[in-house]
Amino acid sequence: MDLKDKMILSIVQENSTLSVKEISERIGLTFTPTYERIKQLEKNGIIEKYVGLLNREKLGLNIVVYCNVRLKEQSQKVLESFEKNIGKYDEVQEVISLSGEYDYMLKIIAKDVNSYNDFTVNVISNIPNIGQYHSSIVLNEVKKSTKFKIDLA
């Protein structure tokens, strides 16, 4: 990957709705090589997909919770079962496997505290092999980004 590819990635992270023509003008290449580079970055899985970032609060989703989960058992079968189970729910935005005190960290989005409580009571507490869970409610998102640092050197 050369500087032009990195420039494309940096631009696409900022605004994926730009046309190939607009990207090509910003990186100093013509349309065709820019288009071919973008297609190659997609083919190689470096650009996985293009998505719209929504304002959750304007959608009435007012609470973000990080829920740490400890399982009773950590066998491969139990871990796979938990991951398959928890991954079904749209409220769960991220499932991260951890080392240390907890086995997983979940990022959960809900309408309000009552909705989150309903989710924990009706979903999390009913998943087999849950040993313990601990919730941390986000008070303020000081920095929120989906952009990776790309060294343009």
Side-chain angles (χ1 to χ4, degrees), residues 114-125:
N114 291 333
S115 297
Y116 176 69
N117 185 58
D118 290 344
F119 185 77
T120 60
V121 169
N122 297 315
V123 175
I124 293 178
S125 63

Side-chain angles (χ1 to χ4, degrees), residues 88-107:
K88 294 177 189 176
Y89 298 96
D90 292 335
E91 294 88 346
V92 179
Q93 291 222 312
E94 295 179 33
V95 178
I96 302 167
S97 176
L98 301 172
S99 65
E101 186 176 350
Y102 292 97
D103 298 308
Y104 291 95
M105 180 185 293
L106 312 176
K107 180 180 180 184

Side-chain angles (χ1 to χ4, degrees), residues 25-40:
E25 289 169 358
R26 289 186 184 193
I27 67 169
L29 286 178
T30 59
F31 179 91
T32 301
T34 302
Y35 175 82
E36 290 170 354
R37 284 171 177 270
I38 292 170
K39 288 301 166 196
Q40 190 64 42

Side-chain angles (χ1 to χ4, degrees), residues 110 134 138:
H134 175 267
V138 173

Side-chain angles (χ1 to χ4, degrees), residues 62-67 112-113 116 134-140:
N62 297 308
I63 189 167
V64 178
V65 180
Y66 286 92
C67 180
D112 52 35
V113 172
Y116 176 69
H134 175 267
S135 301
S136 296
I137 296 172
V138 173
L139 299 176
N140 183 27

